[in-house]
Amino acid sequence: MDLGLTGKVAIVTGSARGLGAATARRLAQEGAKVVITDINGELAQATAKALQDEGLAAHCIVGDITKGADVQRLVDETVAHFGGVHILVNNAGAPRDKYLVKMSEDDWDFVMAVMLKGAFLAAKAVMPHFIDQGWGRIINISSRAHLGNPTQANYSAAKAGLIGMAKALSKEEGRYGVTCNCVAPGFMETEMVKALPTYETIKDNAIAAQPVKRVGQPDDIADAVAFLASERAGFISGEVLHVTGGRYG
């Protein structure tokens, strides 16, 4: 199936590794030109080079998604390098899991800044380009955690906020040919998750709670994002696609 992504330019935030890197690779494999952006410059450069070595169109821009000047520079450099911008994947995120009574104000603010403020800044920066060209795609990477997880009041709230943002933008920007949707991953086998000391226990518990009895892979998310970014999904907006193996609770 031709997704119609050839020549489109995509920014994937937090794409130095994990779900973001897999998503950038899949979009590039579908013919898009991708921007790898992350606060981890060394890793981001390595990821972009790996894509380039595969013959894919990739460019690295290092920056802090929580700073407006960095985000505007990201979009300006993307347009200067690739000639435009058509797709934004708000993937950047980081947990600081604690029970509420032990959660500091900084724990709350950090998670909100990376996920919600970062997505706001990025969407605001790309939107004038989307409006001018009459076409754009925003995909927010939410999480099954938007339904609530213990020790994740900050993370769950931020992921739920990304859904609210997507639904608001779908109504606000649809007249300009812009769609905005969310992908909500379940348990995914990323490098960060596999490095946890309790990984095996977490994996076993997740599989036990899922109708589909296997571990989710980054490519499962990448495939979902590629579809929502494509011409094939042009009449889908304001939706949440759960990629959880059938788990919702």
Side-chain angles (χ1 to χ4, degrees):
M1 179 188 295
D2 181 6
L3 296 180
L5 292 175
T6 299
K8 293 290 195 295
V9 178
I11 295 172
V12 183
T13 69
S15 49
R17 62 176 181 171
L19 301 182
T23 295
R25 173 173 279 103
R26 181 53 42 83
L27 292 173
Q29 289 170 340
E30 293 291 340
K33 303 171 185 177
V34 300
V35 171
I36 304 297
T37 182
D38 205 286
I39 200 169
N40 187 327
E42 184 177 350
L43 193 54
Q45 291 282 4
T47 299
K49 185 178 185 305
L51 296 184
Q52 293 165 357
D53 289 346
E54 294 175 28
L56 302 173
H59 179 62
C60 177
I61 303 175
V62 179
D64 184 343
I65 197 67
T66 71
K67 296 180 179 178
D70 277 21
V71 175
Q72 190 60 58
R73 175 176 56 82
L74 164 65
V75 174
D76 291 345
E77 186 176 332
T78 296
V79 172
H81 185 81
F82 280 134
V85 61
H86 307 90
I87 299 161
L88 169 66
V89 183
N90 283 314
N91 169 76
R96 283 197 181 178
D97 298 352
K98 293 176 184 175
Y99 286 106
L100 184 64
V101 294
K102 296 183 178 180
M103 187 176 292
S104 70
E105 188 174 347
D106 184 62
D107 292 330
W108 180 273
D109 289 345
F110 172 78
V111 170
M112 291 295 166
V114 173
M115 286 194 276
L116 273 182
K117 183 182 179 183
F120 155 71
L121 291 172
K124 183 178 179 181
V126 300
M127 194 58 67
H129 297 279
F130 288 4
I131 291 172
D132 285 348
Q133 67 204 11
W135 198 99
R137 299 282 190 268
I138 296 177
I139 299 100
N140 291 343
I141 305 302
S142 180
S143 168
R144 189 200 58 80
H146 79 87
L147 298 167
N149 278 337
T151 73
Q152 288 193 319
N154 49 3
Y155 189 83
S156 293
K159 291 300 191 181
L162 288 172
I163 293 174
M165 179 187 295
K167 289 184 177 293
L169 292 181
S170 71
K171 295 179 178 180
E172 182 179 315
E173 311 298 344
R175 74 191 73 181
Y176 304 113
V178 178
T179 68
C180 191
N181 293 288
C182 290
V183 172
F187 179 78
M188 293 288 147
E189 193 175 50
T190 64
E191 301 100 312
M192 183 173 65
V193 171
K194 288 175 71 175
L196 295 172
T198 55
Y199 167 71
E200 291 298 331
T201 299
I202 296 170
K203 180 182 74 172
D204 291 344
N205 290 341
I207 292 174
Q210 296 170 190
V212 178
K213 299 301 182 183
R214 71 166 176 86
V215 176
Q217 298 296 326
D219 281 348
D220 293 316
I221 303 306
D223 289 339
V225 173
F227 168 67
L228 290 174
S230 75
E231 294 284 5
R232 302 283 181 167
F235 203 55
I236 300 171
S237 197
E239 293 294 337
V240 183
L241 176 54
H242 288 83
V243 185
T244 63
R247 181 184 178 191
Y248 292 89

